[in-house]
Amino acid sequence: MQKEQLMRLHQFFVYICKNILKDCNCDNSCKELLDLYNSLEIKPHHIHRLKDEQKAAVLILSAYIAKCLEKEMGVPKNLSEKLKENALKYLEGRK
């Protein structure tokens, strides 16, 4: 996936998180994922950031979405954890 496509996907996930999932009744693990995303300080319009950083942000937001949909839609519980693990791998690669 090209960086521009990642940035668009990132923007889409931000939209989902802000508008559709704002009423998510998750536990503290959801808050932990959002805190992790905010600590990255990567936004969709940050074109100067590395592609791996954009990937990590997308994976963390998708982990948050999956976590919120576990109870509502029957998404497997381990999916959000795997997405989070993959995001952390991308972050480790940049150090």
Side-chain angles (χ1 to χ4, degrees):
M1 186 177 285
Q2 295 179 354
K3 188 174 178 180
E4 185 177 320
Q5 293 169 320
L6 272 174
M7 292 170 64
R8 287 183 187 157
L9 185 60
H10 187 176
Q11 181 63 47
F12 178 66
F13 283 166
V14 167
Y15 173 79
I16 289 173
C17 292
K18 285 185 178 178
N19 295 305
I20 297 173
L21 298 175
K22 63 185 171 187
D23 298 326
C24 176
N25 294 325
C26 298
D27 53 10
N28 286 335
S29 59
C30 285
K31 185 179 180 330
E32 176 187 317
L33 289 168
L34 285 179
D35 290 343
L36 179 59
Y37 172 75
N38 289 328
S39 72
L40 294 177
E41 297 180 351
I42 299 172
K43 302 298 178 209
H45 61 277
H46 289 167
I47 60 173
H48 62 283
R49 301 301 288 261
L50 296 174
K51 185 177 178 180
D52 284 346
E53 293 173 320
Q54 287 285 346
K55 284 181 185 178
V58 166
L59 287 169
I60 291 171
L61 287 177
S62 60
Y64 171 73
I65 293 167
K67 191 65 149 173
C68 287
L69 294 178
E70 277 179 10
K71 295 176 187 171
E72 300 288 326
M73 304 293 246
V75 173
K77 292 185 178 191
N78 65 344
L79 178 63
S80 64
E81 200 56 42
K82 287 291 184 186
L83 289 166
K84 180 182 172 185
E85 286 175 18
N86 286 335
L88 294 176
K89 286 179 188 177
Y90 280 111
L91 293 175
E92 288 297 320
R94 71 178 179 154
K95 291 182 179 178

